[in-house]
């Protein structure tokens, strides 16, 4: 039996998880229902966008060379030979000292290389006067100016945003191929847990992790199924895990992963023949965590302490869930921010603070949102980022630059 990695770094733990093979299913969806989903293939521009040169405003299309020398005293007079509306196609080619009345979005007629605004002219139904010299390409939106034919319009592994959906629709894609949301089962363990809505007896606590961890899992892009509470017994936990295997691609448990007599998740997994990938990581809060592999599925065991569980989920669980979703951007990107208030604790181990990003006086600050601790969930209210304090750090004064990560 190989030794189980214990107390490894966050990066080592991520590497072990990312080595697990991922088999994601795809499905076509209407472009109208695609926002928020993850693209499962690359999409290239089948033609230039726009597909023709057009006017960005209401006015008159003309040949710029005809406007040379024009002034208010000596305007150039052009003959209007056609009106072109959006959706029309020009029927005539402009000759010398000819113009076409043109509406916003309408195609530029052959021969024209400039457009003048209505309000900058004087006109009758048959004639238009121009009062200054115009350069070629004035007020012309050229074919392919937005996107050239053959260029990458949207790439696999990216989240479809409203502009992405609009761009794909601009190329006529009525359906797009996306990754199906992975199904993740959540199991709560602990004899002390009571479901909200039930009486709270002596020594009991409500199962808040179901709602914080479950909601974070859904926010990461997964479908959540909740299998219920499991007592602190190997048989009960193992039964819950086996029941959750069918129809789920990952299982998350809360509670029972520390070193107490009633922390039974690890022994329950071992009784099922699961491969323990690691136990505990060098992190505060969030050190108490376990990862195992059973029938090709990851079981991620989080602490029962809400602050610890939420921190570990964001730093380790969410990147893996994003990978399950088919995303390419799975790891949080560091953003440097100044610590807004003193942090008066030393950090023998690598630590992550809960807080929010504040923009003030041209600077980016990180401000803590409450008490920091394994058992604290209130500091996640209003929290939009985690700030990293390196291992071995002394007390840190305000103004220190830290790496922060949006959650």
């Amino acid at each position: 039996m190989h030794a189980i990695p214990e107390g490894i770094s966050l990066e080592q733990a991520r590497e072990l998880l990312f080595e697990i093979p991922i088999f994601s299913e795809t499905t076509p969806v209407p472009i109208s229902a695609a926002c928020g989903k993850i693209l499962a293939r690359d999409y290239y521009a089948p033609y230039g966008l726009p597909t023709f040169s057009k006017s960005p405003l209401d006015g008159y299309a003309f040949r710029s060379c005809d406007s040379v020398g024009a002034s208010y005293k000596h305007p150039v007079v052009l003959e209007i030979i056609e009106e072109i509306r959006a959706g029309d196609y020009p029927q005539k080619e402009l000759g010398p000292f000819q113009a076409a009345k043109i509406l916003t979005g309408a195609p530029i007629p052959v021969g024209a290389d400039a457009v003048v605004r209505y309000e900058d002219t004087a006109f009758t139904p048959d004639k238009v006067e121009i009062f200054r010299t115009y350069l070629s390409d004035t007020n012309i939106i050229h074919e392919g100016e937005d996107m050239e034919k053959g260029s990458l319009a949207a790439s696999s592994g990216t989240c479809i945003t409203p502009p992405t959906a609009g761009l794909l629709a601009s190329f006529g894609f009525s359906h797009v191929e996306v990754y199906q949301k992975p199904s993740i089962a959540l199991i709560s363990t602990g004899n002390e847990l009571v479901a909200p809505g039930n009486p709270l007896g002596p020594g009991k606590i409500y199962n808040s992790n179901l709602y914080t961890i479950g909601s974070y899992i859904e926010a990461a892009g997964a479908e959540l199924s909740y299998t219920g509470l499991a007592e602190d017994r190997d048989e009960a936990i193992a039964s819950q895990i086996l029941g959750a295997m069918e129809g789920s691609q990952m299982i998350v448990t809360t509670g029972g992963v520390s070193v107490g007599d009633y922390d039974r998740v690890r022994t329950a997994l071992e009784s099922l023949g699961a491969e323990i990938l690691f136990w505990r990581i060098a992190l505060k809060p969030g050190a108490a965590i376990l990862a195992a592999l059973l029938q090709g599925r990851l079981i991620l065991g989080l602490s029962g302490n809400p602050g610890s569980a939420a921190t570990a989920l964001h730093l380790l669980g969410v990147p893996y869930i994003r990978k399950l979703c088919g995303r390419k951007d799975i790891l949080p990107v560091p953003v440097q921010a100044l610590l807004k208030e003193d942090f008066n604790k030393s950090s023998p181990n690598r630590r992550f603070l809960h807080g929010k990003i504040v923009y003030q006086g041209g600077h980016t600050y990180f401000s803590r949102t409450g008490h920091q601790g394994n058992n604290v969930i209130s500091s996640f209210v209003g929290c939009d980022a985690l700030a990293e304090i390196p291992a071995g750090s002394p007390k840190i004064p305000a103004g220190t630059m830290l790496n922060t990560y949006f959650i």
Side-chain angles (χ1 to χ4, degrees), residues 13-294:
R14 284 173 174 166
E15 187 175 345
L16 287 170
L17 297 192
F18 294 161
E19 288 175 354
I20 301 172
I22 298 293
F23 303 99
S24 301
E25 296 185 358
T26 67
T27 185
V29 297
I31 192 69
S32 59
C35 274
K37 294 179 171 57
I38 308 302
L39 276 176
R41 50 158 281 205
D42 292 337
Y43 284 83
Y44 292 89
Y47 42 75
L49 191 68
T51 56
F52 52 84
S53 295
K54 60 183 181 179
S55 174
L57 46 83
D58 296 339
Y60 294 90
F62 64 99
R63 307 187 328 157
S64 61
C65 60
D66 291 338
S67 69
V68 175
S71 67
Y72 280 98
K73 287 186 177 181
H74 302 286
V76 169
V77 181
L78 305 176
E79 177 191 6
I80 301 172
I81 64 170
E82 185 177 14
E83 177 178 299
I84 311 168
R85 298 170 298 179
D88 290 343
Y89 195 78
Q91 300 299 309
K92 299 178 180 179
E93 179 177 350
L94 296 188
F97 297 98
Q98 291 182 332
K101 182 179 179 181
I102 193 165
L103 285 300
T104 302
I108 301 297
V110 175
D113 66 346
V115 174
V116 58
R117 300 186 304 170
Y118 278 156
E119 53 265 44
D120 294 334
T121 68
F123 55 86
T124 67
D126 303 317
K127 304 287 183 180
V128 59
E129 294 183 345
I130 296 177
F131 301 104
R132 70 176 180 85
T133 299
Y134 285 84
L135 298 176
S136 180
D137 282 343
T138 299
N139 295 325
I140 301 286
I141 298 174
H142 289 280
E143 176 183 351
E145 184 176 307
D146 190 353
M147 183 163 286
E148 294 182 355
K149 179 180 179 180
S151 57
L152 182 63
S155 59
S156 175
T158 58
C159 183
I160 301 173
T161 61
T164 307
L167 182 61
L168 292 171
S170 297
F171 291 119
F173 294 111
S174 62
H175 289 71
V176 290
E177 195 75 15
V178 301
Y179 287 105
Q180 292 185 0
K181 285 187 174 184
S183 176
I184 297 178
L186 179 59
I187 300 172
S188 301
T189 72
N191 295 338
E192 74 281 12
L193 297 179
V194 176
N198 294 311
L200 194 64
K204 302 294 185 179
I205 62 172
Y206 285 121
N207 183 16
S208 63
N209 275 336
L210 165 62
Y211 303 96
T212 52
I213 300 304
S215 297
Y216 279 137
I217 288 172
E218 289 181 314
E223 297 282 356
L224 179 71
S225 62
Y226 179 60
T227 64
L229 294 170
E231 296 179 353
D232 291 320
R233 295 183 296 108
D234 291 0
E235 299 82 0
I237 296 171
S239 176
Q240 288 274 21
I241 291 173
L242 283 178
M245 292 295 290
E246 185 175 354
S248 64
Q249 292 156 274
M250 176 183 177
I251 298 172
V252 177
T253 68
T254 61
V257 293
S258 192
V259 294
D261 292 342
Y262 295 96
D263 289 303
R264 309 305 301 176
V265 171
R266 175 174 168 177
T267 52
L269 285 167
E270 289 173 336
S271 73
L272 294 173
E275 176 190 358
I276 308 298
L277 300 178
F278 60 83
W279 181 54
R280 301 179 65 83
I281 58 177
L283 194 67
K284 181 178 178 64
I289 189 170
L290 178 147
L293 200 58
L294 181 64

